[in-house]
Amino acid sequence: MIRLGAAPLVPAQRTAAADPPPAAAPEPGPLPGRRVLAGPAARLRAAPLTLTLLAVLWAVGGATGSLAHGPSRGLLAQAGVGLPTLAEGRWWTPFTSLLWCSGLASYVSTSLLLLLVGPAAENRLGRRRTLLVLVGGQLAGTLLGTALVAAGSRAGEHWTHSVADQTAIGPVVGLFALAGVLGYRLTVLWRRRLHLLVVLVPLVMTLYVGHLQSVQRFAGALVGLGAGALLARGRWQLGPHRASHNETRVLVALCLVAAALGPLIASLYDNAAGPFNTFSELYFSQRLTPDEVADFCALSAHECARAHAVERIFDTPARLMAALFPALLLVLAEGLRRGLRLAWRITVATELLWAALLVWLFTETGTGSGDVVQYFVEALLLPLLTTGLLLTTRQRFGLRLPGALHGRLAALLGGAVLAASAAYAGLGLLASGQFEPGATFRGLVSGLPAQFLPPAYNDLLPDYPIAVGPLARLLETYCGLVFWVVALTALLVAFRRPAVHADAADAARARALLTAHGGGTLSFITTWDGNHYWFDEEGRAAVAYRVLSTVALTTGDPFGEPEARRRAVAGFARYCDARGWTPCFYSVTPETMAEAGQLGWRSLQVAEDTVVALPGLAFTGRKWQDIRTALNKAGKQGITAEWWAYRDAPLALRDQIRSISEEWVSEKGLPEMGFTLGGLEELDDPAVRLLIAVDGDRTVHGLTSWMPVYENGAPVGWTLDFMRRRSDGFRGVTEFLIASAALGFKEEGARFLSLSGAPLARSGQDAAPTGMQRMLDWMGRVLEPVYGFRSLLAFKAKFQPEYRPMFMAYPDPAALPSITRAIGKAYLPHLTAAQGVRLMRRLSS
């Protein structure tokens, strides 16, 4: 019996759910570690200048004994560059400073920077120009940096005067200049990011550490950027005015990260003297020295007790409070990266409060001496510059969290501060004898600010009871710490949660657009649950997507009117950019890939569609022998193919279908994959056609589902989605069902059927695949024993299909880790911990 259901539909790629006959095991490839190292090794072999410079650097360091403790004082005076050596006529020191570093840590970090910048520069600039820029940048940067220090010292600037007698050594000045020139040979995206890092890293070191070497490195970066601009005819790309919304947010967030990490970096130096380091202890609290504790104890017994209380904090988990402000700024930087208005407001408020605190400290000092005024002016520059940057770019941070999330966040933070305050004041009152002096409720309330602020602020707070007993110390240690852990975690979770709203009307509108104009062979999967929809301004094209973290992952190609589909790629990219998402077109055709390529995007092949033309299909000839055998055996065993709509099928058939599916899932021990791979839920659609193989006893041996491919309002092709077969059923049932479907669709006048794509499987190999493509090929081999993607592709070859590659197009290579995680979540959204362990065991075995 052949029973037609409603109009059909089919999605994308297929898992091993079909359990096709096992194919020959793939030939073992090179070990994963070798493949990972092959790319960097090849780049190093093509960079002889870099390897030579690296060898010379370490050889000279070893020969002069500079590796362990840096160059000796005598060698530094002869080879280092600074005001003292230049004043004594050692004109060669800007050149010789290239050959040594200041210690083992410096040798390692310099080598890593050289390996990172050198090969890329040799490839894009050439060896001669690379050497010229490196040496010239070292010469110009060291001289310019030293001249700036000399000018500041003569002008009476305290910071530059304190480092005027220093001597610096190391080739990093030239490397920063080389990186500045190299940036102009990169794409706009990476040029902008590299230039920002080239400026930010030495600038932060200059402002917080303030050593002569930091100033010279910053000068070298400026020399490199200037020289690169001249060579590139002024293509300056650092500023955010030409950047997209999303890129501007990234750049602003990087600036905030630099502001947060600067004091932490300076804390690693015993003699940091940068202008912004004047009050860095208010950003990052540092432990009191024994001399400082003695000074407090000389004042009074109460001050001595407070000093010892601060010291105790650094011996408990509460020492994390010392880095409270940097941690808060890093969390806020994540919110800024995502374009959230709430993060922008909190950041501006934080910077203004910081500036107000500095002004208050200045007024409290009661002195107007020149040095004090200079200190406070320099300290105020950072919050004022950060606030100015945020105000200038405020239009880029307009995304709002849902109102309900705002309410929950406010309730959580308010509840946490109330709970922590109540615990400190209430339990502290019960243990009042464990405070010095004895605690009263008023005294405990006055001590609340000290529980929520970093240790460095204790000196600025009024007197409060000092904990001396065990319970009191427990409250002092954990009340503020627990609140801030809860607060920062809640903010980070809120910032990372995308706000996407599903709309049933949009789903109906998208289906109507798909039916009227069609799309690719996988476009019907855009009708599945979990998708959201973007429409162009005229409503002639749409993109189905889902947001995972901040990655907007599309479900196949754009669909709608053919001309509008091409424009939809750029339109959807702008839509994602305005919301702080990273767009990724997944499982798309070469046409969509080409449109994305015009935007400067990268692409990778992630699957291969297999399409069978129907008009001339005839199972004749030797190459169709397996298909004819399956059809003949089915006839002899009384197996027939029946068309059904799943919702119209008898209950007995539906129960068998569910049982077959559950049997497959239980055998795998892993969940069914989703996203572009349909399951039982996707069968229950009136447009999907279900073909089942049953015998005379009404036993279901296997089934396939088919999705329509529309054109001008009618199906012109069909795509295979769901495949299952009974483990003890007719062995050739899958070939029988696909062949029966092909013959039936041919009689109806369909032009083609698609056997869908096999993820991470390709029929051919590129002549020179990229490193990422090789990694995907390796993943396909690793996942083969579990999901059988390659065996599935080999099985489909029996139907003599036309192979059509399917691609993933993405704008930013730096986002590949996030995109990979998003794809994994899309395919396995309900993967449990136990299933994850089983999966890893299967892969490792």
Side-chain angles (χ1 to χ4, degrees), residues 588-613:
V588 297
T589 58
E591 291 75 15
T592 299
M593 183 195 69
E595 292 297 323
Q598 294 184 7
L599 303 177
W601 291 20
R602 307 285 184 87
S603 61
L604 292 169
Q605 185 179 343
V606 294
E608 201 155 51
D609 196 5
T610 45
V611 179
V612 179

Side-chain angles (χ1 to χ4, degrees), residues 311-516:
E311 275 295 278
R312 284 197 304 271
I313 289 176
F314 287 89
D315 296 322
T316 70
R319 69 184 304 165
L320 296 175
M321 291 285 288
L324 173 61
F325 277 133
L328 176 60
L329 291 179
L330 291 176
V331 171
L332 293 174
E334 175 64 13
L336 292 177
R337 186 178 73 86
R338 298 176 186 276
L340 294 172
R341 174 64 65 174
L342 177 63
W344 183 89
R345 288 174 175 170
I346 297 177
T347 307
V348 171
T350 301
E351 296 297 333
L352 291 178
L353 285 173
W354 170 253
L357 175 64
L358 291 175
V359 172
W360 177 74
L361 282 174
F362 175 71
T363 57
E364 286 294 309
T365 57
T367 177
S369 67
D371 287 344
V372 172
V373 172
Q374 180 178 332
Y375 287 154
F376 278 99
V377 169
E378 290 172 347
L380 274 172
L381 284 176
L382 177 62
L384 294 180
L385 289 174
T386 304
T387 303
L389 176 64
L390 291 169
L391 292 175
T392 302
T393 58
R394 63 187 181 279
Q395 299 298 331
R396 308 296 180 97
F397 304 96
L399 299 184
R400 302 181 185 275
L401 295 173
L405 183 57
H406 267 290
R408 290 195 298 270
L409 187 61
L412 178 61
L413 297 183
V417 72
L418 287 176
S421 301
Y424 179 77
L427 296 178
L429 195 60
L430 294 178
S432 59
Q434 298 186 23
F435 288 88
E436 177 62 38
T440 64
F441 183 74
R442 171 177 286 187
L444 290 170
V445 171
S446 67
L448 279 175
Q451 312 311 311
F452 296 103
L453 290 175
Y457 287 81
N458 277 7
D459 296 340
L460 309 178
L461 299 174
D463 290 341
Y464 58 89
I466 306 301
V468 293
L471 178 58
R473 290 182 178 179
L474 191 68
L475 296 174
E476 183 182 67
T477 299
Y478 289 104
C479 285
L481 178 63
V482 170
F483 163 74
W484 279 110
V485 169
V486 171
L488 294 181
T489 302
L491 284 174
L492 186 61
V493 171
F495 292 161
R496 292 184 62 84
R497 181 173 297 169
V500 185
H501 306 284
D503 191 334
D506 283 350
R509 180 184 175 192
R511 179 174 283 236
L513 192 64
L514 174 66
T515 303

